[in-house]
Amino acid sequence: MGKANCPFCNSKNTFNIAYGYLGEKKDKKNYIDQHDIGKNISYRKGFNKYDFDGERLISHLPNRYCKNCNNSFQSRKVMYTIDISIINFIICINNNYYRYIFDFSDKDNPKYILKINWITIKEETLTIKERNKILVSFKKYKPNLWNGHYGLSYEYYKYYWILKCTYYNGIDYVKSGNDKVPDNWKYFVKPFKEIFDENIFDLES
Ligand SMILES: [Zn+2]
């Protein structure tokens, strides 16, 4: 594996973390021992991971460590709903550009920002309950499995939308559509409509 950039500070000064039985790799270049970054021997054993809704997840310990900012992260493509960090939800309709930014990077203090035509209109905290409603939608309607794009490639007549979802490990996906939405769209956008009391999400193919 090449040098993975740190998703927190973008530094390339990152190292693979060697846990317990991987100790023999300690001497290898590019590995750092778990003890050297303050994780004790029971760290692996006691590692439990739960989704936002309490579902127990197969554990995936962070596999990389950044010496620049001292954060550890998981660089493989192992992503759970609870690992969603930033959502950018963009809708352009009637010549207005709406951008909803959901920032869940601080898991206890979710917030959102609404920009209309690049001007910040709102910047507010969300309750954990509201955040979870959004995460339920991601878990249930799986936008990560949607097609990359719906509708025409370059033209639109009514609207276009872009959904970008970034996980805390820096991996992300982008979905979009021109005058067309996926079949489960109206279910997916339900919590967005409720939280923001907005009809803007009512897009139809
Ligand atoms: Zn870093």
Side-chain angles (χ1 to χ4, degrees), residues 105-121:
S105 55
D106 179 348
K107 286 190 167 70
D108 300 320
N109 297 294
K111 58 183 182 182
Y112 83 95
I113 298 160
L114 167 61
K115 292 183 180 199
I116 302 179
N117 300 328
W118 294 275
I119 294 159
T120 302
I121 303 295

Side-chain angles (χ1 to χ4, degrees), residues 155-190:
E155 292 178 310
Y156 68 95
Y157 299 96
K158 291 179 287 179
Y159 62 81
Y160 72 82
W161 59 270
I162 301 167
L163 179 69
K164 182 180 180 191
C165 179
T166 308
Y167 294 84
Y168 82 97
N169 60 5
I171 289 169
D172 61 27
Y173 62 81
V174 181
K175 309 289 173 173
S176 57
N178 289 356
D179 297 334
K180 197 168 166 45
V181 291
D183 292 342
N184 60 9
W185 177 272
K186 71 172 179 190
Y187 305 105
F188 173 73
V189 297
K190 218 174 148 217

Side-chain angles (χ1 to χ4, degrees), residues 6 8-11 66 68-71:
C6 169
F8 298 97
C9 72
N10 209 30
S11 166
C66 172
N68 192 48
C69 69
N70 302 324
N71 276 304

